[in-house]
Amino acid sequence: MTTTQRYDIRGRPAAPLAGPAAGPPARPEPAAVTDVADVLARMRALAEALPADDGVAVFNGVYLAVTEAVARQIGDGAFQDPAAAGELDVRFARRYFDAVDATAAGLRPPACWRPLFQLRRHPGVHPLQFAMAGINAHIGHDLALAVLDTCRALDCEPAALESDFDRVGGVLTGLEERIREQLMPGPDVLDVADPLTHLIGSWSLDKARDGAWVAARALWGVRRLPEVAEELTERLDAGVGLVGRMLLTPLPG
């Protein structure tokens, strides 16, 4: 009989699996992601395949922890519309997987993701920086577009998703402190003179979420003006990418 595998905040197995051992694949094969269970399976496959010190692996572990928490709340009926929440979760995750797959295929991912994939093995970048850069890309850019994807799929307005959007934000906020504590090196977490503390303190998850919601509403408002929508999307992508590059500034020590 096999046991359920648990993962830590970095996405690494917390305990050995029972049953026959199997070596991880060199690269997980992209698979169709149609529900939250598929999302979790793909993230766990990435966690098994990527080296623990890879910057993408660090972000993947954080995202896996968030998605597990969201999945539990969906299962517990905590969302106003569980089906819509699940749809948003899947369409949101697909944009991350698309960036992973594009990079693996030698293609350019969106600008918001490029800093993380380019600097994923830089020795001067701390794990917390990798985590925050990934969150910045995914929240700052992908979340707004995932809201639009979901509205089109469900034939609804963004306002119909607002309550569950905010609930997911509550899950993220609850995990943010845990992420910082586990990934911040050394005991001086509150030392404002520390370069890492200063750098990470310059970025706000709440403000990124607020910006994503505003961007989603703006893009929905111009959806029948394709040239305007395309320009707004490109500017959003580039701006979030610039912030990500700053978050990944190599630091001493």
Side-chain angles (χ1 to χ4, degrees), residues 167-190:
R167 184 169 291 279
V168 171
V171 174
L172 287 167
T173 300
L175 287 171
E176 184 181 19
E177 184 177 350
R178 173 186 164 199
I179 292 166
R180 290 176 185 262
E181 287 178 353
Q182 293 199 21
L183 296 181
M184 178 73 80
D188 300 323
V189 176
L190 300 180

Side-chain angles (χ1 to χ4, degrees), residues 54-77:
D54 185 302
V56 178
V58 175
F59 167 71
N60 187 79
V62 170
Y63 195 9
L64 174 56
V66 170
T67 305
E68 287 175 334
V70 170
R72 286 193 295 271
Q73 292 210 9
I74 291 175
D76 292 342

